[in-house]
Amino acid sequence: MEIEKGKTFKYLKEKREVSQQAKDQLKEFNRMKKSILEALKEGELTIIALSEKLNMPEPEVVYYLMSLVKYGFVATGEVDDMDEYFTYKIKQ
Amino acid sequence: MNGPSNQLNFDALVVGGGIAGGEAALNLASTGYKVLLVEKELSIGGKMIMLSKVFPTLDCAACITTPKVSEISRHPNITIFTSSEISSINKIAENNFEATVVRQPRYVVIEDCTACQLCEQACPVSVPDQYQYNLVGRKAAFIPFSIASPKAAAIDIENCVLCGACEKVCPTNCIDFTQEVETFQVNAKTVILATGFKLFDPLMIPRYGFGLYKNVITSMQMERELAPTRPFNTVLRPGDGKVPDKIAYVLCTGSRDATIGNPICSQICCMYSIKQAQLLMGALPMADVTIYYINIRSFGKGFDEFYQQAKGMGVNFVKGKIGKISEQGNGNLTLRYEDINEGIVKEADHDMVILSVGVLPNQDASDFFGQDELQLDPYNFIHQTDVLASPALTSIKGVFVAGTASGPMDIPDSILSAGSASSEAISYLIQE
């Protein structure tokens, strides 16, 4: 196969199959990203509130939310009066 | 297919690109010897480059490591192979070692990558970031961490979905999915083993609840939470994102414990826990920090003063052995422990627990050698044949050991050990 610079992924795609685990991970991340960003559209939320709204375990919300902060989709808001929980909002 | 360019000649082969291997390579290179530094990770710098600060000076670890790593990377006498492992080393004669080195493809041409991170932004995949100890995600096209050396992207091929998004946005066309595994035959006159140590996996002590209770974390995870390049905006519980205010440290997790097969002291967990406690009190001034210990071993220069300083700052020290950790409904944790001074069992509640994990041997090096057996000590660290007079000597003449490959030690001792190994190696090279 002729290898075109900038499109070498096609070469590896011919030789190697993408694992089901990699496909599932991508699907799960996209699902979580969509759910979290959708929930935050209505306003800032804490992790506890997000977890209740999405009916998802809190540790999972922490992991995906913090990943979305890292990737620049979400920004950290203010901490509550007890200095315990931060809110999170969609990054403008 | 491998051609003649895969036959390489060096004066010294240094295995392991952590602080000890890097220091040894630098010493040899500065003396005029040609060095091949082989590192299995995507970046050199070892575990030290991942730390927040160092004890007892509280200097920024990155501020010390980065110039060193940069010097190693730019030294004309040092060739660095990352993502590479030794498959064998054979001693043919004195000053003549033959090694086989296998380099995994990075799928990025390092020299052409500008670390612009556009590939990271374009990559749709997110998987746990091993460099943040799985507290947060990273992309499949990624730069390992901000101070990585080489600072270049890499493709995690196991998790890549081969969508081509990274290649489309790469301004220098440095992503190359045609790269394959390469095998190199290396001739070297001497070998330095700086293969480092492994951290104890607390899953081996189920009664501590690590993996089950999300607010029980390891000291390396806390190290990342305290670092400037941390995974969260501040120190948070991974269980629910709460800012913790009652934090416990469990010292000797996986060390001084014959029941899990590691009866020796880690030499570092007292001091790094005291360091983290001080940093936590700076980051969270209202937090209570309690350290549960068997003995505090503050044996080094300035260590006891550092311990006293932590006490003065209000860190609570409890001489107690933890029996069990259990979780309450709100994610808080109950520690059941034996108060060693009073001889009674007590319970205490905390909202986050840090397991100060111990040091285990990395036995990789023992598999490198064929006919020349590399001897290990009773704890499976590399045996030092003359520990008092020439601590870098191993059971194979011409092969030297540096840093924690020979046993638990802190950073200054690792650097001293690397100095010893490089001096011994230079003496051996001169005798050629």
Side-chain angles (χ1 to χ4, degrees):
Chain A
M1 161 183 192
E2 201 178 318
I3 299 161
E4 195 181 340
K5 213 170 183 189
K7 289 180 180 171
T8 60
F9 71 98
K10 288 181 179 170
Y11 163 82
L12 198 57
K13 220 170 179 173
E14 294 268 308
K15 290 180 70 178
R16 181 190 173 106
E17 202 178 325
V18 175
S19 73
Q20 192 56 43
Q21 192 195 338
K23 289 178 194 166
D24 292 345
Q25 270 176 173
L26 175 60
K27 217 167 155 184
E28 178 66 1
F29 174 65
N30 283 337
R31 187 181 71 81
M32 292 296 286
K33 179 179 161 188
K34 195 177 165 199
S35 305
I36 291 171
L37 294 181
E38 199 68 37
L40 291 177
K41 264 186 190 166
E42 293 162 29
E44 297 183 22
L45 290 171
T46 63
I47 286 166
I48 301 280
L50 252 176
S51 165
E52 279 170 14
K53 192 167 184 177
L54 300 173
N55 197 22
M56 284 178 192
E58 289 159 6
E60 257 183 64
V61 175
V62 173
Y63 172 78
Y64 284 105
L65 184 70
M66 291 306 167
S67 300
L68 292 175
V69 172
K70 180 178 170 181
Y71 303 149
F73 293 104
V74 173
T76 308
E78 299 295 316
V79 71
D80 63 16
D81 292 342
M82 300 291 287
D83 285 342
E84 286 186 337
Y85 292 98
F86 284 87
T87 57
Y88 297 89
K89 56 190 174 186
I90 291 177
K91 197 165 184 178
Q92 298 303 320
Chain B
M1 205 170 126
N2 299 322
S5 62
N6 290 48
Q7 281 280 357
L8 306 168
N9 293 302
F10 290 92
D11 293 311
L13 168 65
V14 177
V15 188
I19 194 67
E23 178 73 12
L26 208 47
N27 291 342
L28 282 156
S30 301
T31 321
Y33 294 106
K34 298 280 180 194
V35 181
L36 175 66
L37 181 61
V38 176
E39 168 56 47
K40 67 179 174 187
E41 292 290 333
L42 292 163
S43 167
I44 59 169
K47 291 187 182 67
M48 185 181 172
I49 207 165
M50 307 308 298
L51 302 180
S52 54
K53 297 198 175 191
V54 292
F55 62 79
T57 55
L58 291 182
D59 284 316
C60 157
C63 306
I64 299 169
T65 322
T66 311
K68 185 79 82 181
V69 157
S70 171
E71 200 182 344
I72 296 162
S73 302
R74 287 183 294 105
H75 202 293
N77 286 345
I78 301 178
T79 302
I80 300 171
F81 277 13
T82 50
S83 315
S84 302
E85 291 192 77
I86 303 288
S87 81
S88 68
I89 302 176
N90 288 311
K91 184 174 178 179
I92 309 302
E94 291 305 329
N95 291 102
N96 186 0
F97 291 86
E98 266 182 15
T100 304
V101 182
V102 179
R103 184 160 70 184
Q104 297 299 323
R106 191 181 183 108
Y107 300 106
V108 170
V109 179
I110 292 174
E111 296 75 21
D112 294 344
C113 179
T114 60
C116 66
Q117 293 182 285
L118 289 174
C119 57
E120 255 185 30
Q121 288 164 27
C123 178
V125 174
S126 179
V127 292
D129 184 351
Q130 70 271 40
Y131 296 103
Q132 295 285 14
Y133 289 82
N134 302 332
L135 290 169
V136 71
R138 65 151 170 81
K139 298 298 186 74
F142 68 113
I143 289 175
F145 46 91
S146 59
I147 51 172
S149 182
K151 190 162 183 186
I155 308 293
D156 170 2
I157 207 67
E158 295 303 320
N159 291 302
C160 174
V161 289
L162 295 174
C163 65
C166 52
E167 274 198 289
K168 270 181 211 147
V169 297
C170 180
T172 62
N173 279 334
C174 70
I175 296 169
D176 181 4
F177 283 100
T178 67
Q179 287 184 356
E180 291 184 359
V181 175
E182 291 177 283
T183 303
F184 297 87
Q185 299 302 325
V186 177
N187 280 94
K189 294 172 186 166
T190 185
V191 177
I192 291 183
L193 301 172
T195 45
F197 66 97
K198 289 184 173 171
L199 285 164
F200 176 77
D201 181 358
L203 286 171
M204 285 177 68
I205 310 180
R207 61 196 163 86
Y208 286 173
F210 179 75
L212 185 62
Y213 311 141
K214 296 296 177 191
N215 298 324
V216 177
I217 65 170
T218 68
S219 41
M220 271 313 276
Q221 288 179 311
M222 179 50 83
E223 201 67 48
R224 293 309 309 153
E225 287 213 33
L226 288 163
T229 51
R230 55 191 168 231
F232 309 149
N233 53 306
T234 183
V235 177
L236 298 176
R237 302 203 304 186
D240 59 1
K242 180 177 179 277
V243 180
D245 58 16
K246 213 172 169 210
I247 301 160
Y249 277 83
V250 178
L251 266 54
C252 300
T253 301
S255 42
R256 300 182 65 194
D257 187 349
T259 64
I260 48 90
N262 191 30
I264 60 170
C265 172
S266 76
Q267 310 240 355
I268 53 172
C269 94
C270 286
M271 295 310 295
Y272 75 57
S273 302
I274 291 171
K275 173 198 75 180
Q276 288 188 6
Q278 292 191 28
L279 296 176
L280 274 168
M281 297 195 87
L284 309 171
M286 301 306 287
D288 291 329
V289 183
T290 303
I291 293 180
Y292 293 90
Y293 69 97
I294 306 172
N295 303 102
I296 293 292
R297 293 183 165 174
S298 52
F299 54 87
K301 187 178 179 182
F303 287 11
D304 199 57
E305 291 81 353
F306 195 63
Y307 170 37
Q308 297 305 329
Q309 179 175 293
K311 277 185 178 173
M313 288 172 74
V315 177
N316 184 27
F317 287 84
V318 174
K319 193 173 174 69
K321 281 180 99 169
I322 306 299
K324 193 181 178 191
I325 298 171
S326 48
E327 190 180 47
Q328 302 164 16
N330 57 1
N332 287 356
L333 301 145
T334 301
L335 272 67
R336 190 173 167 81
Y337 67 98
E338 179 200 352
D339 186 314
I340 297 171
N341 287 336
E342 294 182 26
I344 53 172
V345 175
K346 290 182 175 176
E347 285 191 348
D349 291 342
H350 294 274
D351 57 11
M352 193 171 184
V353 173
I354 294 105
L355 302 175
S356 300
V357 290
V359 167
L360 297 177
N362 178 5
Q363 295 181 53
D364 290 355
S366 61
D367 297 331
F368 299 161
F369 295 89
Q371 70 271 34
D372 292 291
E373 194 196 348
L374 182 75
Q375 286 175 13
L376 303 181
D377 71 13
Y379 305 109
N380 291 321
F381 289 93
I382 295 172
H383 177 58
Q384 296 158 283
T385 55
D386 191 357
V387 69
L388 293 178
S390 298
L393 299 189
T394 69
S395 57
I396 304 173
K397 196 177 174 196
V399 177
F400 305 95
V401 61
T404 52
S406 66
M409 65 182 77
D410 59 21
I411 292 164
D413 283 352
S414 287
I415 292 171
L416 277 170
S417 165
S420 165
S422 49
S423 297
E424 294 278 7
I426 291 165
S427 298
Y428 179 74
L429 287 166
I430 289 169
Q431 288 164 27
E432 189 181 352

